[in-house]
Amino acid sequence: MNATIITETLDRVGLIRLNRPEVFNALNDELMNALGAALDAFEADERIGCVVITGSDKAFAAGADIEAMRSWDFIDVYKSNFITRNWETLRTFRKPVIAAVSGLAMGGGCELAMMCDLVFAADTAKFALPEVKLAVIPGAGGTQRMPRAVGKAKAMDLCLTGRFMDAAEAERSGLVSRIYPANTVLAEALSVAADIAARSLPILMMMKESVNRAFESPLSEGLLFERRTLHATFGLADQKEGMAAFVEKRKPVFSHC
């Protein structure tokens, strides 16, 4: 049996490829368990500073595996803690994650991309939340993250109609960070990931936590969290090195502590 994901380590960057091409990388339990295990391994590896998740040229991921789910009842999904059980690893992953999306990112695939910190799209990418056509709702954050990314009106449009949104519209709407030609999107994502991973790892983690806090708290509380986190950076060796390097007009050498 082929592995449902393929992982590589490229210096300080971890690369995860979704690998169910015969079903356009449909997300089943086996794949999501493997993805969670790979993320746990990269989380524990102090040499890794950033992760890139990608799929194939045709599909980042075409959604959750409908064939696997079609016979489930309420008690099956409730008792097994469906989605929460093995999708939340990405949500709680503390290092920066870039999604490099080519082709289809539908349903759970779109939701998986939205869990990442940056979304780089190929000019061939198409995003959709088509669950309404199956008489279910997006359940891996689609109804929650999409409004935060693109606003209520656009999110309602996408959720209620299930229509596709191309890469250009996704970038205009705020879902996508950057667009690249399909043949370069992964290379560009890896290049940016390498640049990010060269920074101080504690700072990257603090930065990610602070930006995410903006979506989950009032402005006053977010500002307090940001201020206290800024204060904490002055206890890092990397802060001393970063400021010394700036004053001395040289490249900093971070120790990630």
Side-chain angles (χ1 to χ4, degrees), residues 26-40:
L27 305 171
N28 63 2
D29 270 348
E30 184 183 359
L31 187 151
M32 294 309 297
N33 288 338
L35 177 61
L39 289 167
D40 284 342

Side-chain angles (χ1 to χ4, degrees), residues 3 8 80 119 158 189:
E8 295 180 57
S80 68
V119 180
L158 295 167

Side-chain angles (χ1 to χ4, degrees), residues 176-199:
V176 164
S177 311
R178 310 183 191 185
I179 300 175
Y180 293 104
N183 63 342
T184 66
V185 63
L186 179 56
E188 294 288 354
L190 291 171
S191 176
V192 173
D195 182 61
I196 291 172
R199 315 296 180 181

Side-chain angles (χ1 to χ4, degrees), residues 15 47 112 119 141 143 153 164 169 211:
L15 173 61
R47 299 168 298 174
L112 189 71
V119 180
T143 67
F164 281 105
E169 183 184 0
V211 174

Side-chain angles (χ1 to χ4, degrees), residues 77 80-89 91 139-140:
V77 294
S80 68
N81 209 13
F82 176 51
I83 295 178
T84 306
R85 180 184 70 254
N86 51 6
W87 289 61
E88 295 290 284
T89 309
R91 186 185 70 81

